[in-house]
Amino acid sequence: MAKVVGEIQALTESLEEEARQNGAVAHLQQYLHALHIHGITTAHVEVNQPPNRRRAPSSLTCSDAPDSAIELSDDQTSPFGTTGAHKQPRVIVPAAVGTSLDEVDELLDELGEMPGEAPVPPPRSSARRAPSVNLNPSHDRRPSTSGSYSVSISSGNKSMTHHSPQSSWHRISHMRSWSRTRSETQESICEGYSTPGTDISTSSDPQPDSVERKRPDSETIGQPFDFARLSGWENPRSQVPVPDMTRPSTSSSSMTSQSAVPGTVRRSSSRLSTALKGLRIGRRSSSRARDEREPGRMEPQSQPESEPRSEPAYLEAPRAVFGVPLTESMQVAKGIGQDGYGSTESRKANNTRGYPLSVLRCVYFIQERGIQTPHIFGQDADHILLAKLKEIFSSVDTGYGKILDWDHFTVHEAANLILQFLSELPTPLVPPTAAKRWVSLSRQATISGSMAMRLDQGIDFWEEAFLGIHGPSRALLRLLLNLWGVIADMAEFNDMTAERLAGRVMRPLMHLPAARFDTDLMLGLAFVIRRRSEYQVKAKGGGRRSNAAF
Amino acid sequence: MSNAIAKTSSSISQFVQQVPESRSELDIISGELHSLDEVVELVKDNASLFPPHLANKTPAVLETCLAILNELEGCISVLDRSSASRVDKESRWLASRNHIAKLRWTLEGYKYTLWLAVDLVALWVATFPALRQLQVNEKYPLDVNNC
């Protein structure tokens, strides 16, 4: 109720200036005032009510409607072919004072990975059981609200004037220009966003040539090799380490690796860590039951003696990287990259995330060589080369992409491989609820004051944009949005505006049917890409404004 | 109201076929109209649950919203006159974009307000489920069918 009242108040204030000149808006403001009074009265009575009488379940038809003016309801005409409503649980975590948003973001990832149901509490001991108390008050005790309404009704009748439709509309002389309000709104929002994103352009200097020469003998692609001879990570990014096999591939594992003592309780509560441990144990047992060895992993040089290999890695059957769930693909081939714009080296070291190796390598390649390439992500690649590239990333012989000579491929193959990976995921990386939320966020941005109001309520833009997307999916989405944001920033060189990018990537991203082109979804995605570009440029500093900004 | 929304949506669809350059903005308006249709249906379905003072004011709000819709539909119809060539329609569209954007802005405000009203009524009913039995609106009927 407080949220709704806040929204009403904010909308009233935003319309105040326009109401002086626009009769229709003035009329609307009067209605909002009545809503505001009603909301305050209801909230006041609700607070004074006994606890068991609050929020009784309602069979109101509008309870099936969106919870607020923001969400759109799912219906059967969804382009994704889903039937029935699918509502994601809403998790709003207000940022605590003094807590960095990097930590909040990681906490959100952890919350997303927690078990869906709370653990069953232990039964109460008989000594602690309190006698049952009848908490049902009589109807007489419930306050009557009719008296308060009568006052507003009488005042409302007196103040309400019926404007004839035509005359009220002719009184509209001028309104604020859209571009000015939009730019003001966007600038005010930009300052409030500090959710960490994926920093592709890390401080490490790329040394493609020197790293490439350190490769083992094979100069051509696809030759078998011996894992034991590999000296290091073949990647232009020197800070792409090999993931540790002993730890599970979850985002929370990045924090665990930083603690010296295994099983150290992190900053979260002991109950949270216990739940996560239980989750990890469950995952370990299920993965071990599936296969005892995981040949496709990027194994470190020093393997523990307690886990001897039964046979060489390149003789084992390759496991699927494409067309499987994201976590499963990352169990086969995983790369680790930085996530966040940490100012200190320690923060950068702590903000690492796991990504599918194929996507990570392609992103780095495009970042270094393809940002200004005309029509990057905008044109199809050579299908033969694309198939070869996919084969490299799917083959155990090449270490699932660890051995790769980019000289044989162009950035278009890398871009199309990313899209192919997204297309072949069993579930879309961006679920329909998130896509629709982006549409509503883009529309709300055009209403002045609404975004500022939402900031006042502590709702971070990126928190809402990524609602319903957790764990590796969220990290991967951030990685891709950062890449597309950089590309959109260079649109004057590559002709790929945010809208063009969105039009090309939205189908693989959201698993839209080929015959359908939803303009709303495209514009929603373009809006998010532009916001990401703005955020990146601002986070990097330098006083420059993103070329992709509104 | 639903008829007006459908008529406006139809006019927009026809115009977009003539002037594809207007698609990006008019598609947004189509989405707004769809959302407005949803909220009007909700208001209609739950008219009996509105508290009396809101039930008294809501028809006037819907009337004004209808007026804006008619204005928007009128603008689109004027732009899409059969006597005008495609080039003329495009130039008229470019000249009218700001005005139509203003109409859309106002319509969005009304749509959000109606959504807030629906949310508020839902919360109010959830807070006072017994008040649903009083049917106060028997004294202050909310008639949305004539809007």
Side-chain angles (χ1 to χ4, degrees):
Chain A
M1 177 63 76
K3 180 182 173 183
V4 173
V5 170
E7 288 181 5
I8 292 170
Q9 187 174 0
L11 191 55
T12 308
E13 289 169 3
S14 67
L15 297 176
E16 192 170 341
E17 184 182 336
E18 194 61 34
R20 295 187 201 117
Q21 302 152 355
N22 187 331
V25 177
H27 192 194
L28 190 64
Q29 211 181 22
Q30 292 175 4
Y31 188 68
L32 282 167
H33 183 65
L35 288 177
H36 190 229
I37 292 174
H38 177 68
I40 289 175
T41 308
T42 309
H44 178 72
V45 173
E46 186 183 27
V47 166
N48 291 335
Q49 266 190 340
N52 67 325
R53 298 299 297 176
R54 293 182 195 175
R55 297 297 170 93
S58 168
S59 60
L60 194 65
T61 54
C62 64
S63 63
D64 294 330
D67 292 331
S68 71
I70 300 160
E71 291 187 47
L72 301 175
S73 60
D74 288 332
D75 54 18
Q76 293 188 356
T77 59
S78 167
F80 306 98
T82 59
T83 56
H86 173 60
K87 297 197 174 178
Q88 299 283 351
R90 194 157 190 163
V91 176
I92 297 176
V93 179
V97 175
T99 303
S100 70
L101 286 175
D102 289 349
E103 295 174 341
V104 171
D105 200 46
E106 287 176 351
L107 180 59
L108 287 176
D109 287 342
E110 291 171 13
L111 288 172
E113 290 169 6
M114 282 183 67
E117 296 178 359
V120 178
R124 267 189 178 181
S125 63
S126 58
R128 295 185 62 188
R129 283 192 196 127
S132 60
V133 176
N134 184 10
L135 297 176
N136 296 321
S138 62
H139 284 278
D140 296 336
R141 289 178 55 190
R142 207 175 319 124
S144 168
T145 57
S146 58
S148 61
Y149 291 156
S150 62
V151 174
S152 59
I153 289 171
S154 58
S155 61
N157 280 333
K158 287 176 185 173
S159 64
M160 195 173 67
T161 57
H162 286 273
H163 301 285
S164 63
Q166 293 302 322
S167 63
S168 67
W169 195 241
H170 289 315
R171 276 200 290 273
I172 298 172
S173 55
H174 50 270
M175 296 166 68
R176 287 171 291 187
S177 65
W178 279 102
S179 58
R180 182 163 56 84
T181 55
R182 263 187 160 187
S183 62
E184 287 172 1
T185 308
Q186 299 307 325
E187 284 174 4
S188 66
I189 292 165
C190 201
E191 294 171 5
Y193 297 153
S194 54
T195 304
T198 303
D199 183 12
I200 297 177
S201 59
T202 57
S203 58
S204 64
D205 296 329
Q207 300 173 357
D209 295 334
S210 61
V211 173
E212 295 284 331
R213 291 195 196 99
K214 289 181 189 173
R215 200 180 48 205
D217 302 332
S218 60
E219 289 292 330
T220 59
I221 54 179
Q223 283 192 359
F225 73 104
D226 186 0
F227 274 101
R229 289 176 48 204
L230 289 176
S231 58
W233 189 251
E234 183 172 357
N235 189 288
R237 300 280 176 188
S238 60
Q239 293 185 348
V240 181
V242 175
D244 185 5
M245 278 190 67
T246 58
R247 71 183 150 87
S249 58
T250 60
S251 60
S252 60
S253 62
S254 62
M255 296 183 61
T256 311
S257 63
Q258 304 303 325
S259 61
V261 178
T264 302
V265 176
R266 297 186 293 275
R267 62 179 185 282
S268 49
S269 66
S270 59
R271 189 172 290 183
L272 174 63
S273 63
T274 306
L276 288 173
K277 283 178 189 174
L279 185 64
R280 286 201 298 270
I281 291 171
R283 283 185 180 181
R284 279 186 185 173
S285 59
S286 63
S287 63
R288 280 184 188 158
R290 204 167 47 232
D291 50 343
E292 291 185 1
R293 295 187 63 248
E294 297 174 347
R297 283 220 175 163
M298 297 299 109
E299 299 172 352
Q301 287 301 304
S302 58
Q303 280 197 340
E305 293 296 329
S306 59
E307 298 180 2
R309 287 174 177 257
S310 57
E311 51 185 86
Y314 56 82
L315 294 181
E316 285 206 352
R319 296 173 61 198
V321 172
F322 293 82
V324 295
L326 187 60
T327 50
E328 198 173 317
S329 177
M330 287 169 59
Q331 286 176 1
V332 176
K334 176 181 171 182
I336 293 182
Q338 276 190 9
D339 180 20
Y341 290 100
S343 56
T344 63
E345 289 302 318
S346 61
R347 181 179 284 187
K348 285 182 182 176
N350 289 337
N351 289 339
T352 56
R353 290 282 188 270
Y355 305 97
L357 180 62
S358 55
V359 175
L360 185 64
R361 293 213 67 178
C362 290
V363 166
Y364 282 164
F365 181 59
I366 294 170
Q367 174 73 13
E368 290 173 6
R369 301 194 198 175
I371 292 298
Q372 298 189 8
T373 303
H375 311 294
I376 180 69
F377 279 99
Q379 68 182 48
D380 293 333
D382 185 327
H383 64 278
I384 296 175
L385 291 178
L386 182 61
K388 273 188 181 173
L389 187 62
K390 183 182 175 183
E391 189 184 338
I392 290 173
F393 283 117
S394 305
S395 169
V396 67
D397 297 336
T398 59
Y400 295 98
K402 193 169 178 180
I403 302 297
L404 171 60
D405 183 3
W406 279 114
D407 290 339
H408 296 273
F409 304 97
T410 67
V411 290
H412 296 293
E413 278 80 49
N416 279 267
L417 187 87
I418 292 173
L419 300 183
Q420 191 167 359
F421 182 90
L422 295 174
S423 300
E424 294 183 7
L425 286 172
T427 56
L429 188 68
V430 175
T433 49
K436 290 186 178 180
R437 192 172 300 113
W438 293 353
V439 174
S440 58
L441 282 173
S442 66
R443 289 173 182 171
Q444 285 176 30
T446 61
I447 288 187
S448 63
S450 65
M451 294 304 289
M453 172 271 293
R454 297 180 61 76
L455 284 176
D456 293 341
Q457 292 183 352
I459 301 175
D460 183 61
F461 172 84
W462 293 111
E463 181 184 312
E464 179 154 7
F466 293 148
L467 203 59
I469 306 172
H470 305 289
S473 298
R474 178 186 280 226
L476 180 59
L477 180 61
R478 276 204 300 260
L479 177 77
L480 294 174
L481 282 176
N482 286 339
L483 175 64
W484 293 329
V486 172
I487 291 174
D489 189 28
M490 294 288 169
E492 60 179 319
F493 298 102
N494 56 35
D495 290 332
M496 291 303 294
T497 60
E499 284 71 24
R500 274 200 72 194
L501 272 171
R504 283 284 295 186
V505 307
M506 71 178 200
R507 283 205 182 87
L509 199 61
M510 303 174 186
H511 287 196
L512 291 180
R516 182 164 183 147
F517 182 84
D518 198 317
T519 308
D520 282 345
L521 295 177
M522 183 273 286
L523 292 177
L525 176 57
F527 172 75
V528 172
I529 290 175
R530 287 185 182 276
R531 297 314 310 276
R532 198 71 189 173
S533 179
E534 283 181 57
Y535 165 69
Q536 282 181 286
V537 169
K538 193 169 179 64
K540 288 174 188 172
R544 184 177 78 89
R545 196 159 178 259
S546 168
N547 296 325
F550 288 105
Chain B
M1 177 73 85
S2 296
N3 293 338
I5 291 172
K7 188 178 175 186
T8 308
S9 296
S10 173
S11 300
I12 287 174
S13 299
Q14 288 176 7
F15 183 74
V16 166
Q17 290 175 6
Q18 298 290 321
V19 184
E21 291 79 6
S22 63
R23 173 182 291 277
S24 60
E25 295 176 41
L26 291 182
D27 272 357
I28 295 173
I29 296 179
S30 295
E32 291 298 330
L33 292 177
H34 179 69
S35 183
L36 181 66
D37 195 21
E38 287 179 1
V39 73
V40 167
E41 286 296 320
L42 280 174
V43 170
K44 193 191 300 184
D45 292 340
N46 300 289
S48 60
L49 300 169
F50 272 62
H53 65 296
L54 289 183
N56 203 17
K57 291 176 180 289
T58 303
V61 171
L62 292 172
E63 281 179 13
T64 311
C65 189
L66 179 64
I68 300 171
L69 269 174
N70 290 333
E71 178 78 14
L72 181 62
E73 196 274 333
C75 281
I76 300 293
S77 299
V78 166
L79 293 177
D80 198 21
R81 272 186 189 158
S82 58
S83 57
S85 66
R86 187 191 172 283
V87 176
D88 287 341
K89 289 180 185 178
E90 188 177 343
S91 60
R92 286 182 187 182
W93 157 250
L94 292 173
S96 311
R97 280 173 75 183
N98 286 339
H99 180 61
I100 291 179
K102 292 172 189 174
L103 292 178
R104 192 200 95 180
W105 183 84
T106 309
L107 208 60
E108 252 183 281
Y110 273 81
K111 181 203 74 173
Y112 271 105
T113 304
L114 290 172
W115 273 119
L116 288 170
V118 167
D119 289 344
L120 201 62
V121 169
L123 290 168
W124 178 66
V125 169
T127 306
F128 306 106
L131 284 179
R132 296 178 64 177
Q133 308 299 325
L134 295 179
Q135 297 294 329
V136 182
N137 71 315
E138 288 179 359
K139 189 178 178 184
Y140 301 99
L142 171 62
D143 185 6
V144 295
N145 294 324
N146 289 333
C147 291

